[in-house]
Amino acid sequence: MSNHKAEHQHITDYWVYGLILVILLALTFITVYMVHLELAAWSVAIALGIASVKATIVLAYFMHLKFDNMLFKILVVAVVMLFVSFILLTFADYLYR
Amino acid sequence: MSDVAIKHDEHRDDLGAKLGMWLFIFTELLLFGGLFLVYAVYRDIYAEDFHLGALQLNVTLGTLNTVVLLISSMTVAMSITAIQRGNKKLSMQLVLLTVLLACVFLVNKYFEWGAKFEHDLYPGSDLVLQFKRGSIIFFGLYFFMTGLHMFHVVIGMVVLMVMWFKLKNTTINKDDNVLLENGGLYWHLVDLIWIFLFPLLYLVT
Amino acid sequence: MTTIPYKSYLEPQGKYTGLLDWLTSTDHKRIGLMYMYAIGIFFIIGVLLGLLMRIELFKPGETIMGPQTYNGIFTVHGVIMIFMVVIPGLSAVFGNLFMPIQIGAKDVAFPKLNLLSWYIFMAGAILAVLSQFTGNGPPDTGWTFYAPYSTQTGTNVLMAVTAAFVLGFSSILTGLNFIVTIHRMRAPGMTWFKMPLFPWALYSTAWIQLLATPIVGITLLMLIAERVFKIGFFDPALGGDPILFQHLFWIYSHPAVYVMILPAMGVITEIIPTFCQRRIFGYKAIALSSIAIAGVGYLVWGHHMYTSGMSFTARWIFSFLTFIVAVPSAIKVFNWVATMYKGSIALKTPFLYALAFIFLFMIGGLTGLSLGSLATDVYVHDTAYVVAHFHYIIFGGMGFAFFAALHYWFPKMYGKMYNQKIADIAWLILFFGFNMLYFPQFVLGLQGLPRRYYDYMPQFETGEVLSTIGGFVLFIGIIMMITNLIIAARNGPQAPDNPWGGKTLEWTIPSPPPMENFDTPPVVSKEPYDYE
Amino acid sequence: MFTFYDPQYASNMAEGVDAAFLIIFGISFFFLIGITAVMIWFIIRYHHKRHPKAVQIKESFALEVTWTVIPTILVMIMFYYGYIAFSPMRDIPADAMVVKTVAKMWSWEFEYPGNKLSTELILPINEPVVLEMTSLDVVHSLFISAFRVKEDVVPGTTHYMWFIPERLGNYEILCTEYCGLRHSFMESVARVVPREEFDVWLASVPEATNMDEGLIIMRQNACSGCHSMDGTKLVGPSFQGIYGKAETVLIDGTPAEIVVDSAYLYRAIVDPDYEIVEGYNKGLMKTYKGVIPEEDIQTIIKFLMTLQKE
């Protein structure tokens, strides 16, 4: 049984969080602005793409994934892939009805 | 479920506690994942109605709430830095600030939902039941998804308040702060879900 | 026998006495036993309900009950057996009892959470039982709660669905606990590939519990919302799609089959080397096939829906993936049989159950192939053939593995030995009764008898009569087995620490184990099934 | 059970399905019997009395690969046969006769070209037929076991099923998706007849024109699933001689004596749970207020008044 009391702790500086927030806010406003651009078919993809970027940033910095154990990164990727396969298989039904 | 990870016996295992929290987050993600799947299917079937439904929603309020949640995510992340540097007072203030921002979110939501109810736009109302099928589903999903998310906001606030008290009586301190990290993780989850809910519900074109 | 006196986990631990001593205990072994007693009671209720159905089906037309009662009974039988017996069965009972010991840990990672899971389980179970006696009569939807029937029927569906939701929550927490335990609490020196195969199976299972259950959770929540707020997720009159309900339901409920069968395979993998006194053949193949089954098992839910009106593309993709998932199960069977080769076989009760498991599981699995194939499934889908198939997997597989585990670990759990002769006779009766009960269902299905039928045409009578008689034989076997074990637990002779010559860690400690499991934390250097 | 020995299958789908079955069963039997025999042989041969010392054998990578690859190939063969026998079922010919099929609790209705309605499926032999199926209430499933066809009938959408009946005779139509109280009674029959006979039947004056208008409306709403016209007790009271009958009903559990009049019949249709005839259960019938137009309800009541005891 390993005790990880003395595990190296990564401490993130305040300014990093500030910067991340600025980026996230900027992305939010871009998404809202996009809606008025009438990009039709692309707008959903772009909106979801930006949301995914935002989510990745939150996961990496706010949730410390970037500095954490490798295991967590693998698991997050695996869970996302699992969810994507649920979507794909379900749409194998709905798109070809 | 933050006390999932509480374990202060002789075998303190921060990594194990964090793993437990992440696993719990996965279940939450898939819980909403199921909803996103339902959303995706009905959006595919009723693209037009979803667009018309989204026009009924208040983008300004939605954007405002997104900003509020993003800021609150930052403050809770900062509170961890604060306690890691031994600044108990600042950490407590930041947690409290996060809770306050959560309150702002809820108040905002209250006005948003309130306006919908005023216009009889709620599931099962006589008005909604006369809508086209896609719109019935859209409003159903809107209330169900934001409702479930709101429920998580409330749970998150309780968790954060627990964190605040634990900071106060130094159960969480400079050397032992995995609990606060886990509480923070939960709050980020709430934010993470909203990041997807917002464009899906408010910005459908 | 240990020379120093010790206090076993069965003895009072102070602080509280009697029942309260158990109800407040966070010890993994005690929680395991508490699950076992609860599940045992639910199992007997489920069996009795099954018998009532068998009596009703003894002859065509009304025998002992009306159709509404019958529909309620098969729903309750399904809900109890699936959500309260087979899903928690092996992992919550024997996983709790022995997984921590097998990996050399003192307890699970979060003992309090473990106890909480038990309480949540009991809360869900009580709700499920209450749903029978309150409201507008017992739910009559079948355990699958298919919409829109489940959103329209006036019976007490809401409470039963809530119960299933709560039970799912308990399952998630157990899975979470086990994953962290296996990641973080293994004894020093126990690398992943030195871990016994039962924990490996539980590890795969735990991931399914963790990642699949939320989907059914949200589905049931939507069903509740639909009934209460008229949201119309699945009601076509309000724009919903009933087939989407089936997708969501089976995204969980198919992997749930693996929640039942993977730990069963794990148990069999423990028992075979012990009674052959031989190292398991293909350790890595068995360990990795568990992971493979868990992984691919997520992607085959659509094979429950070949006739639902899914797109042709989806139908053949699901059929293809279904056939893929058959392979790792076959690998396990081959490895089990290969382990018997040049062993030194002792035909003791647990091993007999393991043999029965392999045989019945093979029948269940092989008949599953004709259900995975597109053309043949169209013919037998939703007929008695499916009923036979899944009872062979769930009862013949998971059930017999449970009995195998019970007889294997009984001496360790109670420190007492049961009468092996009576246990063997009970095994024989169970085996014959089981086949007599379920085999005719294959034939009935091929003759075209749909499932969930209250009444049937005269050409099906022979099969149904045989089946009913088999049901009673099986019941006698169950009673005999349980009575034998209860007598043994009370007055059986003292059991040695290692009655079967097992090599995993639980056989190195006294029977019954002390509260702390190990006096000194074990250090592992050898492989788990090292009989050199 | 099987028609393996009978060269004439009942439909064009049967041969492929049965062939796929035979292949899967053949392989399965081989493995079941083989593995069981090997297992029993090992138990006898290596019983500890005969073989007191076990031999510790290392794993064999070659063997693991062998018994991974061979089953994989075999299951792919099974998949292939299942696929080729199934794909014709989804390949609906354009020239097939269309029969609109409506499922409801708990009966089937078939509508032929020319609006001819029937509760039985009458089919000309050797001619393709496509069933356009929909449901009025919950999910049902249409199953004709002799034809080896089955497809769910889902409310809100239309599903298709096609086949060519190839043998004269009567075949059971059953519902295989659990649909409530009388699920096991939801049956009909497929009659495969020569073309000429079919034409005569189709040309015969449609029953519909002879029917009372009230009865037509009742048929459309599947009343007969629960209420018989011949006195048989089903889920709900029989309609036979219902008008003017004295009944004991329960209003919120309190018994009351009433005589069935048109006001009562109206209440029973729009608020069925209000008065429950003794011996029947609450909650089984939903309100038809708004489902059946007001004037149609009156037509039904007029029709019910004519149903006298025979």
Side-chain angles (χ1 to χ4, degrees), chain D residues 235-309:
Chain D
V235 181
S238 174
F239 288 146
Q240 190 187 47
I242 189 166
Y243 191 75
K245 196 177 177 188
E247 286 276 21
T248 308
V249 295
L250 298 173
I251 302 171
D252 278 332
T254 13
E257 300 293 331
I258 55 116
V259 173
V260 176
D261 53 9
S262 49
Y264 168 82
L265 287 173
Y266 181 78
R267 285 198 304 274
I269 294 172
V270 299
D271 190 8
D273 278 345
Y274 177 60
E275 293 149 305
I276 301 290
V277 177
E278 206 168 33
Y280 294 90
N281 289 323
K282 207 174 178 170
L284 288 170
M285 181 172 162
K286 58 183 181 197
T287 173
Y288 282 84
K289 193 185 176 75
V291 181
I292 307 176
E294 221 31 53
E295 60 270 24
D296 284 4
I297 293 181
Q298 296 308 329
T299 318
I300 292 178
I301 293 171
K302 277 199 200 95
F303 170 71
L304 290 177
M305 290 162 78
T306 65
L307 288 176
Q308 290 310 317
K309 258 200 176 105

Side-chain angles (χ1 to χ4, degrees), chain C residues 240-264:
Chain C
D241 179 11
I243 299 175
L244 185 60
F245 177 85
Q246 300 179 18
H247 274 296
L248 290 164
F249 182 81
W250 290 114
I251 286 179
Y252 164 69
S253 294
H254 188 74
V257 175
Y258 299 112
V259 173
M260 309 160 194
I261 205 67
L262 277 171

Side-chain angles (χ1 to χ4, degrees), chain C residues 163-460:
Chain C
F165 179 77
V166 174
L167 289 167
F169 203 59
S170 158
S171 177
I172 289 178
L173 294 180
T174 304
L176 185 151
N177 218 334
F178 281 9
I179 294 175
V180 178
T181 307
I182 291 173
H183 266 282
R184 305 296 305 157
M185 312 269 288
R186 276 171 287 132
M190 183 178 277
T191 58
W192 281 94
F193 285 114
K194 280 186 183 141
M195 187 165 75
L197 287 161
F198 183 55
W200 260 107
L202 287 171
Y203 182 70
S204 319
T205 309
W207 275 110
I208 303 176
Q209 287 175 295
L210 193 78
L211 297 183
T213 319
I215 305 277
V216 81
I218 195 72
T219 314
L220 297 177
L221 271 186
M222 282 191 269
L223 197 63
I224 293 171
E226 168 135 11
R227 279 185 77 99
V228 179
F229 301 114
K230 276 199 189 167
I231 288 189
F233 288 123
F234 309 117
D235 184 356
L238 298 174
D241 179 11
I243 299 175
L244 185 60
F245 177 85
Q246 300 179 18
H247 274 296
L248 290 164
F249 182 81
W250 290 114
I251 286 179
Y252 164 69
S253 294
H254 188 74
V257 175
Y258 299 112
V259 173
M260 309 160 194
I261 205 67
L262 277 171
M265 291 165 156
V267 166
I268 301 306
T269 317
E270 292 296 324
I271 290 173
I272 288 177
T274 303
F275 292 91
C276 296
Q277 289 295 301
R278 238 206 71 176
R279 55 184 293 156
I280 189 87
F281 193 84
Y283 171 90
K284 276 192 183 170
I286 294 178
L288 296 177
S289 64
S290 291
I291 303 285
I293 291 174
V296 188
Y298 278 114
L299 311 177
V300 299
W301 76 81
H303 67 215
H304 297 266
M305 302 164 57
Y306 288 157
T307 66
S308 69
M310 259 196 321
S311 77
F312 180 52
T313 318
R315 292 189 218 206
W316 74 256
I317 291 175
F318 279 122
S319 176
F320 185 80
L321 291 169
T322 302
F323 276 110
I324 298 282
V325 84
V327 176
S329 306
I331 294 172
K332 284 196 196 238
V333 172
F334 292 135
N335 279 304
W336 291 329
V337 176
T339 305
M340 296 174 201
Y341 177 65
K342 292 202 174 169
S344 179
I345 296 172
L347 275 177
K348 299 279 175 58
T349 323
F351 190 65
L352 289 176
Y353 274 108
L355 291 175
F357 169 91
I358 297 178
F359 180 73
L360 299 175
F361 176 72
M362 274 200 296
I363 295 182
L366 291 167
T367 50
L369 293 171
S370 46
L371 292 166
S373 160
L374 288 170
T376 50
D377 178 71
V378 167
Y379 179 26
V380 287
H381 175 77
D382 265 344
T383 65
Y385 188 89
V386 175
V387 176
H389 158 75
F390 74 71
H391 278 98
Y392 264 85
I393 293 283
I394 294 177
F395 194 170
M398 188 277 171
F400 273 69
F402 192 93
F403 300 154
L406 198 55
H407 286 90
Y408 181 56
W409 280 312
F410 187 88
K412 181 58 65 186
M413 284 151 63
Y414 292 97
K416 301 279 176 61
M417 197 43 149
Y418 48 84
N419 183 324
Q420 298 194 44
K421 199 157 266 164
I422 293 177
D424 289 352
I425 296 169
W427 168 81
L428 201 66
I429 297 174
L430 266 173
F431 184 74
F432 273 102
F434 178 88
N435 283 296
M436 193 170 168
L437 168 54
Y438 294 113
F439 201 83
Q441 301 284 335
F442 281 125
V443 183
L444 290 171
L446 288 171
Q447 286 175 328
L449 173 67
R451 69 193 278 207
R452 294 173 171 175
Y453 258 34
Y454 163 75
D455 195 5
Y456 52 86
M457 294 115 230
Q459 69 262 35
F460 302 120

Side-chain angles (χ1 to χ4, degrees), chain B residues 89-116:
Chain B
K89 200 170 156 224
L90 178 64
S91 184
M92 280 170 67
Q93 283 167 346
L94 283 165
V95 170
L96 209 58
L97 183 58
T98 315
V99 177
L100 285 177
L101 286 166
C103 287
V104 173
F105 179 91
L106 288 182
V107 169
N108 217 335
K109 203 84 226 160
Y110 169 78
F111 283 115
E112 209 189 324
W113 273 35
K116 293 281 164 302

Side-chain angles (χ1 to χ4, degrees), chain C residues 140 283 307 335 343 345 381, chain D residues 46 51 59 64 150 152 178:
Chain C
D140 61 343
Y283 171 90
T307 66
N335 279 304
I345 296 172
H381 175 77
Chain D
Y46 302 113
H51 200 253
E59 6 269 278
E64 296 290 347
K150 180 184 291 143
D152 285 9
Y178 172 71

